[in-house]
């Protein structure tokens, strides 16, 4: 009887320990509007793998791709309030919340992808990252969002004059609305998931995005004319709810930061490959890609900078970016 009691006690102890282990495991939810396999989705999965490995399974990450948890505007509110833990979102929707995010969202602020990397990996990137805490978020990483260009269902765009009167979907950002207006066209802000049907039904003439989005969202099926004006290279933000971050020990915070940094290198590698693959795919499917002279597009951006870069701090950031070689 004594032996049985000891055995039963040991079994209960083991069960309690197992229950304790199970309860110690925290599954973090992360949102992304893009489909499974997209470079940002795969980068966050990679981040999750590193975190799980380095915390011995105490933390893991479930990535909800394809806007399963909502479009970007909705998920920003969810992550700020701690309803979800992590979010990969474009920088532009933060413009109204965090003034510092305005600068990397400006048209033609970056001369090249390499220039953008140097800026976001340096002091200006650190300054922008720090500003996220004021809205209840911790910036873990900046990912590549690629060069965005206009595409439409009507005609090739070879000059600013060709933009006149056309209707383009833009991100829900005042900078993007004003940029399109400065080019003589009409901007229609709408969620990413509504763009295909809006072009197909003629509600809008086109949109603007990078090759991977143009391809994976199947916009190339309904908008065959892609103009390589490369007006913006807005970085993507990978953020964590500050309420979730504050629950981590300093040691775990260091693990999360290191894993996020390593995921950046992974995402850039995947991004470069995806851009090549998507461009080849849409060209093979019949998209017409034209390369207009960018200078008239750049020259038209004066009013956008005047309106959105007013205070001295933002003006200094613009100059700091220009100075990066």
């Amino acid at each position: 009887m004594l032996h049985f009691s000891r055995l039963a006690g040991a079994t209960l102890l083991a069960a309690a320990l197992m229950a304790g282990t199970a309860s110690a495991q925290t599954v973090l939810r992360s949102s992304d509007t893009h489909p499974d396999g997209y470079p940002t989705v795969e980068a966050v999965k990679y981040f999750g793998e590193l975190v799980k490995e380095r915390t011995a399974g105490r933390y893991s990450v479930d990535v909800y791709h394809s806007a399963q948890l909502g479009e970007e505007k909705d998920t920003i509110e969810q992550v700020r309030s701690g309803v979800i833990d992590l979010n990969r979102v474009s920088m532009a929707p933060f413009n109204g919340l965090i003034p510092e995010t305005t600068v990397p969202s400006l048209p033609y602020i970056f001369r090249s992808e390499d220039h953008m990397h140097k800026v976001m990996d340096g002091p200006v990137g650190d300054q922008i990252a720090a500003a996220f805490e004021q809205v209840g978020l911790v910036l873990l990483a900046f990912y590549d969002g690629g060069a965005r260009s206009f595409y439409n269902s009507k005609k090739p765009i070879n000059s600013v004059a060709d933009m006149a009167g056309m209707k383009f979907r833009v991100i829900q950002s005042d900078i993007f609305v004003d940029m399109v207006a400065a080019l003589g066209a009409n901007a229609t802000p709408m969620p990413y998931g509504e763009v295909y049907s809006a072009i197909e039904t003629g509600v809008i003439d086109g949109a603007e995005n990078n090759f991977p989005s143009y391809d994976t969202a199947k916009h190339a099926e309904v908008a065959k004319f892609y103009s390589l004006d490369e007006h913006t290279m807005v970085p993507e933000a990978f953020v964590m709810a500050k309420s979730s971050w504050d629950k981590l020990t300093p040691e775990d915070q260091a693990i999360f930061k290191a894993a996020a940094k390593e995921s950046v290198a992974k995402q850039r590698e995947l991004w470069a490959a995806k851009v090549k693959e998507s461009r080849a795919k849409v060209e093979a499917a019949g998209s017409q890609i034209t390369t207009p002279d960018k200078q008239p597009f750049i020259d038209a951006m004066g009013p956008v900078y005047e309106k959105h870069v007013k205070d001295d701090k933002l003006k200094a950031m613009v100059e700091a970016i220009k100075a990066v070689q």
Side-chain angles (χ1 to χ4, degrees):
M1 190 70 181
L2 185 63
H3 175 72
F4 176 77
S5 296
R6 281 179 182 162
L7 185 64
T11 304
L12 286 168
L13 180 62
L17 286 169
M18 284 177 70
T21 303
S23 64
Q25 186 187 31
T26 303
V27 180
L28 304 171
R29 297 197 304 159
S30 186
S31 176
D32 200 310
T33 56
H34 291 302
D36 199 19
Y38 199 86
T40 54
V41 173
E42 294 308 306
V44 177
K45 284 184 191 175
Y46 181 66
F47 162 82
E49 289 166 13
L50 295 178
V51 164
K52 187 174 183 179
E53 177 190 313
R54 293 170 188 178
T55 63
R58 286 183 293 106
Y59 289 94
S60 62
V61 177
D62 281 353
V63 181
Y64 291 81
H65 54 77
S66 309
Q68 293 175 67
L69 301 180
E71 295 288 351
E72 287 189 341
K73 195 174 180 184
D74 303 321
T75 59
I76 287 172
E77 291 312 310
Q78 289 177 47
V79 75
R80 287 184 69 199
S81 59
V83 173
I84 59 176
D85 305 287
L86 298 155
N87 199 7
R88 194 292 313 157
V89 67
S90 174
M91 189 90 73
F94 285 111
N95 293 166
L97 285 172
I98 306 168
E100 288 86 349
T101 64
T102 300
V103 177
S105 304
L106 288 166
Y108 299 107
I109 188 70
F110 299 118
R111 297 187 296 273
S112 65
E113 200 170 74
D114 183 55
H115 179 226
M116 185 264 287
H117 289 164
K118 285 178 180 174
V119 170
M120 301 313 293
D121 291 345
V124 173
D126 292 342
Q127 184 181 350
I128 296 165
F132 276 80
E133 293 217 15
Q134 69 199 16
V135 296
L137 297 171
V138 174
L139 190 290
L140 292 177
F142 293 117
Y143 290 149
D144 277 18
R148 300 174 73 100
S149 294
F150 290 104
Y151 50 87
N152 76 93
S153 61
K154 305 291 185 190
K155 63 183 181 182
I157 293 171
N158 293 306
S159 66
V160 172
D162 291 334
M163 300 276 294
M166 296 187 78
K167 290 176 76 172
F168 289 94
R169 175 267 177 178
V170 293
I171 291 175
Q172 287 152 308
S173 157
D174 289 347
I175 287 179
F176 278 67
V177 170
D178 294 336
M179 172 188 71
V180 171
L183 294 168
N186 301 306
T188 304
M190 70 170 63
Y192 185 59
E194 297 174 16
V195 177
Y196 184 100
S197 61
I199 298 173
E200 189 178 38
T201 56
V203 171
I204 54 175
D205 298 314
E208 51 79 52
N209 222 313
N210 51 59
F211 277 120
S213 294
Y214 177 60
D215 163 30
T216 59
K218 303 190 185 307
H219 296 171
E221 293 177 359
V222 289
K224 291 289 185 188
F225 302 101
Y226 191 100
S227 175
L228 206 58
D229 64 289
E230 299 183 314
H231 46 263
T232 58
M233 292 183 187
V234 185
E236 310 275 33
F238 179 38
V239 297
M240 187 169 188
K242 190 158 190 315
S243 55
S244 300
W245 174 260
D246 288 343
K247 290 173 188 171
L248 302 176
T249 64
E251 292 78 15
D252 286 339
Q253 288 178 351
I255 287 171
F256 274 57
K257 281 280 191 184
K261 189 172 183 179
E262 287 175 48
S263 76
V264 171
K266 182 80 167 176
Q267 195 267 346
R268 287 177 181 175
E269 180 188 313
L270 292 170
W271 183 260
K274 189 67 178 175
V275 169
K276 281 185 181 179
E277 177 197 315
S278 290
R279 177 169 183 166
K281 188 176 168 186
V282 297
E283 284 187 291
S287 286
Q288 293 183 35
I289 298 168
T290 55
T291 306
D293 177 8
K294 287 184 194 177
Q295 196 56 50
F297 286 80
I298 295 168
D299 293 343
M301 291 302 113
V304 181
Y305 277 70
E306 283 169 25
K307 180 177 176 180
H308 294 281
V309 188
K310 284 181 176 174
D311 72 56
D312 290 341
K313 181 168 67 174
L314 298 188
K315 286 177 182 176
M317 284 176 70
V318 168
E319 292 310 309
I321 288 173
K322 286 180 181 175
V324 173
Q325 296 302 317

